[in-house]
Structure formats: structure tokens, C-alpha cells
Amino acid sequence: MRINLLEDAWEQEVPHEQFAYLRRHAPVYWHDIPEDTGFWAVTRYHDVKAISRDTRTWSTEVGTAFLRDQTPEFIEVAGLMLLNMDPPKQTRYRRLVSAGFTPRTIARLKDQVRRRAERIADGVLDKGGEVEFVTDVAEYLPLQMICDLVGVPEEDHAMIFEWSNRMVGFQDPDFRTTPEDGEIAAAEIFQYCDGLVEERRKHPRDDILTSLVEAEIDGDRLTREEIDAFFVILCVAGNETTRNLIAHAMNALIDHPDSYRELSAGLGDDKLWHTATEEFLRWGSSIHNFRRTATRDTELHGRRIAEGEKVVTFYMSANRDETVFPDPYTFDIRRDPNDHVTFGGGGPHFCLGANLARLQITCMIRELLRRFPAAEHAGPVRRMRSDFINGIKHMPVRFATTA
């Protein structure tokens, strides 16, 4: 079988057949990249989790978490970001930024998320139910919540959205600029955040940015550059990934009308909505992969991996591992247990905003189903061309107020 897990494959469809072949026959597979250094593709669930937890052997600080080789200048800037750090640096940074993501903080947001979701769903009703789901629905809630969290004024929301698209969309013809422009966008976000940080030092607010500015553990505080870098992560991880998870969730429900009807009839069933949300997450993993670099010569499934070689864990494949998930290609909103790896395989890089993402997905889909007991595709679904983001970029949907 020809194996291609690069950006052009993902634009067409999720390469499930390739992943199934690799899990069975080559769970650690050498994958070439034209005009770049190749990598070892890791596709089994338990290997993904083991690599995620062993930061001494598998580093993100060396070479970054991105599949392709990066320039020394990019690596230096990226090293300020949480996803490109190893312990103990990562541990110290995470302890400080966690001040803004306590369970109490997220619980306080519940009503705010619900109100935002209600307004967006009402907007779909005002449009007669026919929308471009990504731009009219999915992008709004994550963008608004991230901007609310850090206190970005409403008039600047569109600018944050544009910056985040430029940073992650350079492989897609609909978003394409250049890799260098992605770096320029990151620099523009850094500069914008500098102004917000300075304002918070003078005038603290009840928001996450103020929590980051004031965070202190044993006299240790975040530098301005570290706060800027975390702001970039929030704009991309908090916006892009949750937007795509919402789109994947609705796409799955339209493709599985029995599940749509069951959820629509069970709006008050919190247990059902909990298991459904976890299945949304398993089904539509928002990130394709996460790259590590071997810090020493080692071996995995009989394959000798040299120090400095790239090892890339594929979350979508792990979430379809037949040895872990019964009937993995069946969309089951009552699946329990459902220990997916959409937020990472555990360890220090487990997604800090996982519970906020869950809250937004549940609220947005629930409010839509509260108003619309049926929906269908109103045109072709188009996927994003990216070797990192599992994105849906266009999805016309026609909602109906009667079943």
C-alpha cells in the first residue's frame, strides 16, 4: 500500500485505510518527505500514550512539535510556547499559566458560554436555517470565548481570527500566504499582546490575561515574552482546534441522522450529552499529529530509531485502534468508556483547555439541536489542506425547524 500522511492526503479525506494497514503491519513506519527530513510514523494507541509520557526519550523542545524541519530562528521563538517545551522548563511554565485555567475559572464561564451559544443559534434561526456552518457558526464561539478570556475588545476579534488563520493555514490554497507570513502573523500577535499586558499591569481585570500577569509561585513570574507566547497558543489552540471540533461534531451528526434524532430528543439527558461529546472528540480529532525528536538511540517495535530522528504520533489513528475501541469506525454517542487521545496522550502536554473545549462543543451543538430537530448538508464539505490541523473549511448546512 502507498503511504502518504502529508497535507495533500488530508485535504481529500482522513486516511483511515492507511492507518489501519500501519497499525496491523508497520506500527513504526519510516515516512519520507520531499525536500525535507523524513520521520517515523507511530499509529497505535498504546505507543502514542507511552511516547507522550516519556519526555526524556521523546523531546518536543528539540526541533519543535511540528512535523517538518524548522529554521533556527523559528525554533528559538517557538521555544517560548508550551507545546515546544520539555520538563522541567515546561513544568514551571505550566504551573504558572494554570492559574488561569482552574476548575473554578472554567465553571464561572459556563453561563457565558451558554449565552454566546444561544445567540449564535438564534442567528441561524434568523437566517432561515441555511448557513455556511464554519463561518456562520463554528468559528464564532471559540473566537469569542478566547477573546473574552483575555479581554480582547469586540472590534479586534476579526483581526485575531485572521492572524490565527495565517499562522496555521499556509499549506491550504484558500488561506495560503507563506510560512514566513505565518511567522509575521505570530509577531503581530506578540506585539498586540504586549499592549494588552501593559494595560493589565496598570488596570487589572477579572480575566485570564490578568491572572497570567499576576501569576507567581515561590517568587517566580512569567516574563512578558512568555505571556505573549501563551497568548499565541490561546489564539491558535483555543480558536482553531475548537472551531474544527464543533464543525466535525455537526458533520458527524448529519452523517448519522439516528444519532442526531436521539440527541435532539434527549436535550435534558446530561449523561447522554457527556458521552456524545466524548464521541465527537474521538471521531473528529482536531490535530493530526505531534512530533517528538529522539534524545538517544532507542528501539520501538523492532525498529532502530537514532538520536535526532523525528517520531510523529498520529491521534486519529490511535482513536481508531481496534484493540482499544470496539467497532472503532462506528459513531456511537453512548460509547463508554471512551479514553480517546484527542487532547493528547496524557503526560505534560495534555491540553490545558480540554474542559473549556468540551463545554463549548456541548453548548453549541445542544443549542442548535434545541432549535433544529433535523439538518442536512446543503453542499459539499471541503477539508483543510494541512499536515497539522484536522480542519473543515467549508460546510454548507440546511437546518430544519421540524423533523
Side-chain angles (χ1 to χ4, degrees):
M1 173 179 284
R2 179 176 179 269
I3 301 298
N4 174 21
L5 303 177
L6 302 179
E7 63 273 11
D8 50 329
W10 291 96
E11 182 181 21
Q12 304 305 316
E13 60 184 359
V14 178
H16 285 307
E17 187 176 351
Q18 295 183 53
F19 283 141
Y21 176 87
L22 292 176
R23 287 195 302 272
R24 286 194 303 269
H25 303 292
V28 182
Y29 173 83
W30 181 257
H31 194 304
D32 289 317
I33 305 179
E35 301 178 1
D36 205 318
T37 308
F39 61 92
W40 294 102
V42 176
T43 50
R44 287 183 181 172
Y45 177 91
H46 292 296
D47 294 331
V48 169
K49 296 200 83 168
I51 288 171
S52 300
R53 287 166 164 76
D54 183 2
T55 57
R56 290 189 177 184
T57 305
W58 314 108
S59 170
T60 55
E61 202 164 305
V62 178
T64 77
F66 304 113
L67 187 151
R68 296 176 184 271
D69 292 338
Q70 306 295 331
T71 64
E73 294 77 16
F74 180 86
I75 292 173
E76 183 179 358
V77 174
L80 293 168
M81 299 181 189
L82 190 62
L83 78 163
N84 297 309
M85 295 179 183
D86 296 329
K89 181 180 176 182
Q90 195 264 5
T91 306
R92 170 253 175 196
Y93 189 97
R94 190 175 178 108
R95 286 177 68 202
L96 286 165
V97 299
S98 292
F101 286 87
T102 63
R104 178 172 163 269
T105 301
I106 302 305
R108 284 209 319 263
L109 295 172
K110 193 169 290 187
D111 288 342
Q112 189 176 342
V113 172
R114 189 179 297 112
R115 286 194 300 271
R116 289 274 192 190
E118 287 172 351
R119 286 199 291 270
I120 294 167
D122 285 341
V124 176
L125 201 59
D126 293 340
K127 292 178 181 179
E130 190 156 344
V131 293
E132 203 323 299
F133 190 84
V134 176
T135 54
D136 291 339
V137 179
E139 76 178 37
Y140 279 112
L141 185 59
L143 177 65
Q144 290 172 347
M145 288 310 304
I146 291 302
C147 290
D148 284 350
L149 284 170
V150 294
V152 173
E154 193 90 28
E155 61 268 22
D156 291 345
H157 286 195
M159 186 167 59
I160 297 294
F161 181 70
E162 185 212 354
W163 281 333
S164 67
N165 272 340
R166 284 167 57 196
M167 285 179 63
V168 304
F170 64 86
Q171 292 178 321
D172 190 286
D174 284 355
F175 302 114
R176 181 173 291 153
T177 50
T178 63
E180 291 74 22
D181 186 61
E183 295 179 28
I184 293 170
E188 289 171 335
I189 297 180
F190 268 54
Q191 186 175 14
Y192 180 82
C193 184
D194 271 346
L196 293 182
V197 168
E198 189 59 36
E199 198 272 338
R200 292 306 185 279
R201 292 194 196 283
K202 296 175 182 175
H203 307 289
R205 298 187 193 177
D206 184 18
D207 60 22
I208 278 184
L209 190 57
T210 300
S211 296
L212 298 177
V213 169
E214 296 178 345
E216 181 176 340
I217 297 176
D218 298 330
D220 189 18
R221 302 175 74 100
L222 291 166
T223 66
R224 182 187 294 268
E225 291 78 12
E226 288 171 332
I227 295 173
D228 288 349
F230 192 69
F231 186 80
V232 171
I233 290 294
L234 282 175
C235 290
V236 176
N239 174 22
E240 295 284 342
T241 58
T242 308
R243 175 183 74 193
N244 286 309
L245 287 168
I246 291 171
H248 282 300
M250 182 51 64
N251 189 46
L253 287 175
I254 293 173
D255 286 343
H256 300 86
D258 288 346
S259 296
Y260 192 114
R261 285 189 290 270
E262 186 177 359
L263 266 181
S264 183
L267 289 170
D269 187 342
D270 288 341
K271 182 179 179 182
L272 175 61
W273 276 88
H274 169 75
T275 57
T277 298
E278 295 308 309
E279 185 70 344
F280 295 153
L281 292 166
R282 185 190 74 89
W283 194 256
S285 313
S286 56
I287 299 294
H288 297 319
N289 56 57
F290 207 79
R291 170 233 177 137
R292 269 83 173 179
T293 302
T295 61
R296 59 181 177 85
D297 292 349
T298 186
E299 188 173 305
L300 188 61
H301 290 294
R303 307 290 268 176
R304 297 184 63 80
I305 298 171
E307 178 183 350
E309 289 186 329
K310 293 183 277 190
V311 173
V312 179
T313 53
F314 284 88
Y315 299 119
M316 182 68 81
S317 178
N319 281 342
R320 297 296 193 282
D321 193 323
E322 300 85 349
T323 67
V324 176
F325 301 98
D327 297 320
Y329 298 101
T330 297
F331 179 70
D332 180 5
I333 59 174
R334 294 186 180 273
R335 186 181 295 273
D336 189 22
N338 193 347
D339 189 21
H340 58 77
V341 293
T342 296
F343 292 124
H349 286 287
F350 187 81
C351 178
L352 195 62
N355 287 332
L356 179 57
R358 286 184 171 101
L359 177 61
Q360 292 182 78
I361 295 162
T362 302
C363 286
M364 191 67 260
I365 300 299
R366 207 170 194 166
E367 290 305 320
L368 287 167
L369 268 60
R370 194 183 305 280
R371 291 157 180 76
F372 305 104
E376 62 181 2
H377 289 118
V381 177
R382 295 177 58 201
R383 293 176 50 80
M384 187 174 179
R385 187 178 191 271
S386 172
D387 61 21
F388 186 60
I389 299 288
N390 184 27
I392 293 177
K393 60 183 180 181
H394 296 298
M395 192 171 81
V397 173
R398 186 178 299 111
F399 288 96
T401 53
T402 57

